[in-house]
Amino acid sequence: MKVTHPLVSIVDDDESVRESLPDLLKELGFSADAFSSAEEFLASDSLGRTRCLILDVAMPGMTGPELHIELMRRGEKIPTIFITALKDDAVRPRLIEQGAVECLFKPFTDDALQEALNSALQPD
């Protein structure tokens, strides 16, 4: 019997994040897909299978918050964890208010990510 792991999609324009985060997610028991832009994620077949989304806040083109709003507009209710290198104390409360599960500041710990994923994937 094939064991399926929940798919976590990562959208980040930083190549080092797209290379390292999927490995960590696999160690934590998830499947992972990584995308360099919001547009690339929206055009992918991962959209319908994604159980949790890890979004960078600041990206060229469509930003993480803009993607989050677009997904909600489309009726896609994907739990979202934002990650950001921006040290702006106003960012986290605003994103949580808009429906994000968590907003982690880079660099974040494996434990902080695991905790955010556990929250994101809690059954309602």
XYZ file of all heavy atoms in Angstrom, residues 44-113:
542
model
N 0.452 25.486 -12.034
C 0.870 24.092 -11.831
C -0.313 23.193 -11.486
O -1.380 23.653 -11.092
C 1.888 24.020 -10.691
O 1.225 24.141 -9.438
N -0.066 21.877 -11.613
C -1.102 20.923 -11.212
C -1.019 20.638 -9.709
O -1.820 19.889 -9.166
C -1.003 19.633 -12.032
C 0.265 18.849 -11.743
O 1.194 19.380 -11.098
O 0.335 17.676 -12.177
N -0.059 21.253 -9.029
C 0.055 21.072 -7.576
C -1.016 21.853 -6.825
O -1.331 21.524 -5.678
C 1.433 21.531 -7.081
O 2.441 20.720 -7.617
N -1.560 22.875 -7.450
C -2.535 23.749 -6.789
C -3.648 22.953 -6.120
O -3.921 23.133 -4.942
C -3.109 24.759 -7.795
C -4.204 25.695 -7.285
C -3.726 26.532 -6.120
C -4.702 26.590 -8.398
N -4.257 22.045 -6.835
C -5.386 21.286 -6.296
C -4.996 20.231 -5.272
O -5.843 19.740 -4.535
N -3.714 19.857 -5.219
C -3.258 18.802 -4.310
C -2.580 19.352 -3.060
O -2.297 18.610 -2.128
C -2.271 17.871 -5.038
C -2.902 17.160 -6.232
C -1.936 16.224 -6.952
N -0.802 16.955 -7.518
C 0.478 16.761 -7.157
N 0.790 15.885 -6.244
N 1.441 17.457 -7.719
N -2.293 20.652 -3.054
C -1.540 21.245 -1.951
C -2.389 21.309 -0.682
O -3.495 21.832 -0.700
C -1.063 22.660 -2.351
O -0.163 22.537 -3.453
C -0.349 23.352 -1.199
N -1.849 20.760 0.413
C -2.543 20.770 1.712
C -2.074 21.919 2.597
O -2.738 22.286 3.556
C -2.327 19.438 2.441
C -2.929 18.251 1.719
C -4.452 18.326 1.700
N -5.001 17.566 0.591
C -5.564 18.094 -0.500
N -5.658 19.387 -0.637
N -6.045 17.337 -1.449
N -0.891 22.469 2.273
C -0.363 23.611 3.008
C 0.574 24.355 2.068
O 1.249 23.745 1.243
C 0.382 23.139 4.256
S 1.055 24.509 5.248
N 0.597 25.669 2.204
C 1.405 26.516 1.339
C 2.383 27.309 2.197
O 1.994 27.885 3.210
C 0.450 27.455 0.600
C 0.899 28.228 -0.619
C 1.542 27.338 -1.664
C -0.298 28.943 -1.231
N 3.648 27.288 1.807
C 4.661 28.122 2.465
C 5.023 29.205 1.458
O 5.535 28.913 0.384
C 5.897 27.295 2.878
C 5.490 26.224 3.894
C 6.978 28.220 3.447
C 6.620 25.313 4.337
N 4.697 30.447 1.809
C 4.834 31.565 0.873
C 5.818 32.602 1.374
O 5.712 33.056 2.506
C 3.490 32.293 0.745
C 2.409 31.739 -0.142
C 1.215 32.681 -0.146
C 2.912 31.541 -1.533
N 6.732 32.999 0.488
C 7.587 34.135 0.797
C 6.716 35.394 0.684
O 5.836 35.476 -0.173
C 8.746 34.191 -0.198
C 9.794 35.228 0.160
O 9.787 35.729 1.302
O 10.627 35.542 -0.701
N 6.955 36.354 1.553
C 6.161 37.587 1.529
C 6.533 38.447 0.332
O 5.679 38.858 -0.449
C 6.321 38.379 2.850
C 5.678 39.757 2.743
C 5.726 37.595 4.017
N 7.844 38.741 0.175
C 8.287 39.672 -0.875
C 8.887 38.905 -2.041
O 9.915 38.252 -1.901
C 9.321 40.635 -0.291
N 8.203 38.959 -3.179
C 8.700 38.320 -4.408
C 8.434 39.253 -5.574
O 7.483 40.033 -5.530
C 7.964 36.995 -4.659
C 8.216 35.932 -3.621
S 7.426 34.362 -4.050
C 5.689 34.746 -3.733
N 9.258 39.137 -6.624
C 8.967 39.918 -7.842
C 7.628 39.453 -8.431
O 7.246 38.301 -8.238
C 10.112 39.571 -8.790
C 11.101 38.778 -8.012
C 10.448 38.324 -6.742
N 6.947 40.317 -9.126
C 5.639 39.944 -9.680
C 4.623 39.908 -8.558
O 4.567 40.807 -7.717
N 3.835 38.838 -8.522
C 2.816 38.688 -7.482
C 3.482 38.326 -6.153
O 4.236 37.368 -6.086
C 1.816 37.593 -7.900
C 0.638 37.448 -6.960
S -0.467 36.056 -7.409
C -1.370 36.778 -8.767
N 3.204 39.098 -5.111
C 3.793 38.825 -3.790
C 3.049 37.677 -3.109
O 1.957 37.287 -3.542
C 3.705 40.066 -2.879
O 2.320 40.317 -2.593
C 4.366 41.285 -3.508
N 3.623 37.174 -2.013
C 2.958 36.127 -1.250
C 1.567 36.532 -0.776
O 0.595 35.804 -0.988
N 1.436 37.710 -0.133
C 0.095 38.132 0.296
C -0.894 38.277 -0.874
O -2.071 37.949 -0.735
C 0.356 39.481 0.986
C 1.764 39.352 1.498
C 2.491 38.560 0.429
N -0.409 38.749 -2.021
C -1.294 38.871 -3.199
C -1.750 37.487 -3.669
O -2.919 37.304 -4.039
C -0.592 39.616 -4.332
C -0.412 41.098 -4.047
C 0.518 41.810 -5.028
O 1.247 41.147 -5.803
O 0.526 43.053 -5.005
N -0.844 36.505 -3.647
C -1.216 35.135 -4.025
C -2.247 34.591 -3.042
O -3.239 33.987 -3.444
C 0.021 34.236 -4.062
C -0.262 32.738 -4.266
C -1.036 32.481 -5.552
C 1.042 31.944 -4.254
N -2.028 34.822 -1.759
C -2.948 34.349 -0.721
C -4.355 34.912 -0.969
O -5.352 34.177 -0.929
C -2.410 34.781 0.648
C -3.204 34.304 1.804
N -3.346 32.974 2.128
C -3.907 34.986 2.744
C -4.108 32.863 3.204
N -4.453 34.076 3.596
N -4.440 36.196 -1.268
C -5.725 36.847 -1.539
C -6.358 36.282 -2.810
O -7.560 36.011 -2.860
C -5.549 38.388 -1.607
C -5.259 38.917 -0.190
C -6.780 39.059 -2.217
C -4.718 40.335 -0.152
N -5.538 36.056 -3.840
C -6.044 35.487 -5.101
C -6.610 34.088 -4.871
O -7.676 33.739 -5.393
C -4.923 35.451 -6.150
C -5.287 34.746 -7.451
C -6.431 35.383 -8.234
O -6.762 36.573 -8.005
O -7.016 34.684 -9.076
N -5.922 33.279 -4.078
C -6.411 31.920 -3.804
C -7.742 31.973 -3.048
O -8.664 31.210 -3.359
C -5.375 31.129 -3.000
C -4.117 30.745 -3.780
C -3.047 30.202 -2.838
C -4.430 29.754 -4.888
N -7.855 32.875 -2.077
C -9.119 33.014 -1.340
C -10.235 33.478 -2.280
O -11.365 32.989 -2.189
C -8.952 33.968 -0.157
C -8.112 33.362 0.953
S -8.110 34.295 2.502
C -7.554 35.891 2.016
N -9.897 34.393 -3.188
C -10.882 34.889 -4.154
C -11.410 33.737 -5.014
O -12.588 33.688 -5.368
C -10.241 35.962 -5.036
C -11.216 36.734 -5.915
C -10.507 37.681 -6.867
N -9.701 36.986 -7.870
C -10.195 36.316 -8.922
N -11.493 36.238 -9.113
N -9.382 35.721 -9.778
N -10.519 32.781 -5.323
C -10.896 31.621 -6.143
C -11.583 30.528 -5.323
O -11.952 29.488 -5.870
C -9.642 31.004 -6.779
C -8.964 31.876 -7.796
C -7.763 31.159 -8.351
N -7.042 31.946 -9.328
C -6.169 31.428 -10.184
N -5.914 30.137 -10.186
N -5.548 32.208 -11.039
N -11.689 30.728 -4.010
C -12.323 29.715 -3.159
C -11.385 28.594 -2.751
O -11.833 27.557 -2.264
N -10.080 28.771 -2.961
C -9.085 27.764 -2.553
C -8.721 28.046 -1.102
O -8.138 29.072 -0.795
C -7.818 27.872 -3.419
C -8.033 27.613 -4.888
C -8.182 26.134 -5.212
O -7.956 25.288 -4.324
O -8.532 25.831 -6.358
N -9.076 27.131 -0.214
C -8.790 27.334 1.206
C -7.569 26.515 1.613
O -7.715 25.471 2.244
C -10.017 26.978 2.033
C -11.194 27.901 1.757
C -12.361 27.577 2.641
C -13.591 28.411 2.464
N -13.671 29.372 1.456
N -6.401 26.964 1.217
C -5.161 26.260 1.531
C -4.517 26.938 2.743
O -4.212 28.138 2.678
C -4.179 26.287 0.332
C -4.830 25.710 -0.924
C -2.896 25.520 0.682
C -4.016 25.911 -2.198
N -4.323 26.202 3.843
C -3.647 26.811 4.994
C -2.280 27.352 4.555
O -1.539 26.668 3.852
C -3.492 25.656 5.984
C -4.486 24.625 5.549
C -4.648 24.807 4.067
N -1.968 28.582 4.965
C -0.767 29.253 4.479
C 0.132 29.707 5.620
O -0.331 30.306 6.577
C -1.162 30.460 3.601
O -1.964 29.989 2.511
C 0.056 31.170 3.040
N 1.421 29.382 5.445
C 2.465 29.849 6.357
C 3.328 30.807 5.547
O 3.840 30.435 4.486
C 3.323 28.673 6.860
C 2.471 27.668 7.642
C 4.497 29.191 7.703
C 3.144 26.327 7.864
N 3.468 32.030 6.025
C 4.341 32.983 5.351
C 5.732 32.926 5.960
O 5.883 32.683 7.171
C 3.795 34.410 5.477
C 2.635 34.688 4.568
C 1.335 34.590 5.021
C 2.853 35.046 3.246
C 0.261 34.839 4.181
C 1.790 35.293 2.395
C 0.496 35.193 2.861
N 6.734 33.133 5.120
C 8.115 33.276 5.592
C 8.660 34.574 5.004
O 8.311 34.950 3.887
C 9.000 32.067 5.209
C 9.011 31.807 3.700
C 8.543 30.821 5.963
C 9.932 30.673 3.270
N 9.474 35.253 5.783
C 9.989 36.531 5.298
C 11.322 36.870 5.943
O 11.572 36.504 7.089
C 8.978 37.674 5.537
O 9.486 38.868 4.967
C 8.714 37.890 7.023
N 12.138 37.572 5.188
C 13.399 38.098 5.718
C 13.205 39.540 6.166
O 14.106 40.139 6.741
C 14.489 38.011 4.652
N 12.029 40.105 5.888
C 11.743 41.493 6.273
C 11.539 41.573 7.773
O 10.687 40.866 8.316
C 10.467 41.995 5.580
C 10.440 41.966 4.060
C 9.044 42.295 3.552
C 11.457 42.935 3.490
N 12.297 42.400 8.423
C 12.127 42.567 9.875
C 11.171 43.743 10.110
O 11.580 44.844 10.412
C 13.487 42.827 10.549
C 14.451 41.671 10.416
C 13.954 40.457 11.195
C 14.982 39.339 11.154
N 14.410 38.028 11.076
N 9.906 43.468 9.903
C 8.877 44.491 10.056
C 7.814 43.939 10.995
O 7.117 42.980 10.656
C 8.284 44.831 8.680
C 7.149 45.827 8.749
O 6.712 46.178 9.858
O 6.686 46.246 7.669
N 7.708 44.514 12.178
C 6.796 43.995 13.187
C 5.323 44.085 12.782
O 4.481 43.399 13.359
C 7.006 44.722 14.522
C 8.352 44.387 15.142
O 8.909 43.316 14.822
O 8.856 45.201 15.933
N 5.013 44.921 11.804
C 3.615 45.064 11.374
C 3.190 43.946 10.418
O 2.001 43.714 10.218
C 3.419 46.419 10.700
N 4.166 43.263 9.815
C 3.850 42.253 8.799
C 3.061 41.084 9.384
O 2.008 40.725 8.875
C 5.147 41.734 8.126
C 4.888 40.493 7.296
C 5.765 42.813 7.260
N 3.572 40.483 10.475
C 2.967 39.268 11.013
C 1.501 39.468 11.423
O 0.636 38.699 10.983
C 3.804 38.732 12.175
C 3.320 37.400 12.684
C 4.207 36.856 13.816
N 3.719 35.562 14.211
C 2.713 35.371 15.048
N 2.080 36.406 15.593
N 2.315 34.152 15.345
N 1.187 40.491 12.252
C -0.222 40.644 12.644
C -1.149 40.860 11.447
O -2.271 40.345 11.418
C -0.225 41.877 13.550
C 1.186 42.157 13.900
C 2.058 41.458 12.911
N -0.676 41.595 10.445
C -1.503 41.848 9.263
C -1.789 40.549 8.509
O -2.916 40.291 8.090
C -0.809 42.874 8.353
C -1.695 43.337 7.197
C -1.049 44.442 6.382
N 0.078 43.946 5.611
C 1.339 44.365 5.736
N 1.647 45.307 6.593
N 2.298 43.859 5.005
N -0.761 39.706 8.351
C -0.947 38.450 7.618
C -1.844 37.479 8.389
O -2.685 36.804 7.791
C 0.415 37.805 7.323
C 1.274 38.589 6.323
C 2.673 38.007 6.253
C 0.634 38.628 4.948
N -1.667 37.423 9.711
C -2.514 36.552 10.536
C -3.976 37.022 10.428
O -4.893 36.216 10.279
C -2.045 36.555 12.016
C -0.598 36.059 12.147
C -3.012 35.766 12.902
C -0.339 34.614 11.857
N -4.164 38.330 10.445
C -5.510 38.900 10.312
C -6.136 38.519 8.966
O -7.339 38.322 8.864
C -5.407 40.432 10.433
C -6.732 41.127 10.572
C -6.544 42.628 10.784
O -5.988 43.008 11.839
O -6.923 43.395 9.880
N -5.306 38.410 7.924
C -5.798 38.053 6.584
C -5.978 36.542 6.422
O -6.276 36.072 5.335
C -4.828 38.565 5.508
C -4.811 40.072 5.386
C -3.721 40.576 4.448
O -2.907 39.820 3.927
N -3.691 41.883 4.242
N -5.750 35.778 7.500
C -6.049 34.351 7.431
C -4.842 33.428 7.398
O -5.002 32.214 7.275
N -3.634 33.961 7.496
C -2.444 33.101 7.514
C -2.407 32.302 8.817
O -2.879 32.761 9.852
C -1.183 33.941 7.394
N -1.838 31.107 8.749
C -1.671 30.277 9.933
C -0.539 30.843 10.795
O -0.623 30.910 12.011
C -1.337 28.823 9.532
C -0.974 27.979 10.744
C -2.494 28.205 8.765
N 0.544 31.262 10.118
C 1.732 31.739 10.830
C 2.564 32.583 9.882
O 2.411 32.506 8.674
C 2.541 30.530 11.331
C 3.763 30.852 12.167
C 3.473 31.686 13.406
O 3.467 32.934 13.280
O 3.261 31.107 14.477
N 3.441 33.397 10.458
C 4.423 34.148 9.689
C 5.746 33.988 10.417
O 5.893 34.436 11.552
C 4.035 35.618 9.574
S 5.249 36.600 8.650
N 6.678 33.296 9.772
C 7.989 33.022 10.365
C 9.028 33.942 9.756
O 9.044 34.158 8.538
C 8.389 31.562 10.117
C 7.434 30.492 10.653
C 7.883 29.114 10.186
C 7.347 30.552 12.166
N 9.894 34.468 10.598
C 10.967 35.322 10.114
C 12.213 34.489 9.853
O 12.612 33.676 10.697
C 11.263 36.439 11.137
C 10.128 37.413 11.268
C 9.204 37.302 12.292
C 9.961 38.435 10.338
C 8.130 38.192 12.401
C 8.901 39.324 10.437
C 7.990 39.203 11.470
N 12.789 34.666 8.652
C 14.016 33.941 8.303
C 15.187 34.518 9.089
O 15.255 35.732 9.225
C 14.316 34.093 6.803
C 13.258 33.529 5.871
C 13.630 33.877 4.428
C 12.562 33.472 3.444
N 12.879 33.881 2.067
N 16.110 33.711 9.560
C 16.074 32.241 9.535
C 15.200 31.723 10.674
O 15.257 32.229 11.781
C 17.534 31.858 9.766
C 18.088 32.982 10.593
C 17.341 34.223 10.174
N 14.377 30.717 10.396
C 13.516 30.134 11.429
C 14.025 28.734 11.756
O 14.755 28.131 10.982
C 12.052 30.092 10.972
C 11.865 29.563 9.578
C 11.837 28.199 9.325
C 11.736 30.440 8.504
C 11.683 27.716 8.033
C 11.578 29.967 7.210
C 11.559 28.594 6.983
N 13.634 28.229 12.907
C 14.095 26.907 13.325
C 13.207 25.820 12.721
O 12.050 26.073 12.349
C 14.060 26.764 14.862
O 12.688 26.837 15.285
C 14.886 27.853 15.550
N 13.754 24.612 12.655
C 12.974 23.462 12.180
C 11.750 23.268 13.069
O 10.662 22.957 12.594
C 13.823 22.185 12.214
C 15.022 22.244 11.268
O 15.201 23.262 10.579
O 15.779 21.260 11.234
N 11.937 23.469 14.394
C 10.832 23.294 15.340
C 9.717 24.303 15.083
O 8.533 23.958 15.156
C 11.323 23.434 16.783
C 12.175 22.238 17.221
O 12.133 21.189 16.537
O 12.869 22.364 18.240
N 10.100 25.555 14.798
C 9.089 26.588 14.525
C 8.294 26.220 13.277
O 7.068 26.370 13.238
C 9.751 27.948 14.354
N 8.979 25.707 12.261
C 8.290 25.305 11.034
C 7.373 24.120 11.313
O 6.218 24.107 10.881
C 9.294 24.962 9.928
C 8.656 24.526 8.613
C 7.790 25.640 8.026
C 9.715 24.104 7.617
